[in-house]
Amino acid sequence: MANPPSPPSLFRDPWAKKDAWRKHPVFAKRAMLGSMFPGFGVAVVAFTTYVLVDNLILSKDNEHKH
């Protein structure tokens, strides 16, 4: 039996294993941006709730006091 042809030297990269971590999904740009500001989503919801309560509910109470 004949040996199968060897792949070109392009595919025999000695550093391929050491460089494989760069293509892992954990290091994707979307994953990095999502974890760049932890708690930002919670802070936006809390601030929006505060502003709505302050403007809608508390402003009605202040109009009657004047």
Side-chain angles (χ1 to χ4, degrees):
M1 296 216 158
N3 290 338
S6 63
S9 64
L10 175 68
F11 297 112
R12 284 189 270 157
D13 185 11
W15 296 99
K17 279 186 178 178
K18 297 186 188 308
D19 200 37
W21 65 271
R22 296 176 190 253
K23 294 179 179 37
H24 196 275
V26 172
F27 299 107
K29 285 185 181 181
R30 184 172 183 167
M32 291 299 229
L33 289 176
S35 64
M36 189 181 304
F37 301 108
F40 182 69
V42 174
V44 167
V45 171
F47 182 72
T48 304
T49 305
Y50 167 75
V51 169
L52 288 174
V53 167
D54 190 42
N55 287 334
L56 297 177
I57 296 174
L58 297 180
S59 67
K60 290 179 184 176
D61 292 342
N62 288 339
E63 290 175 4
H64 297 295
K65 291 181 181 178
H66 291 300

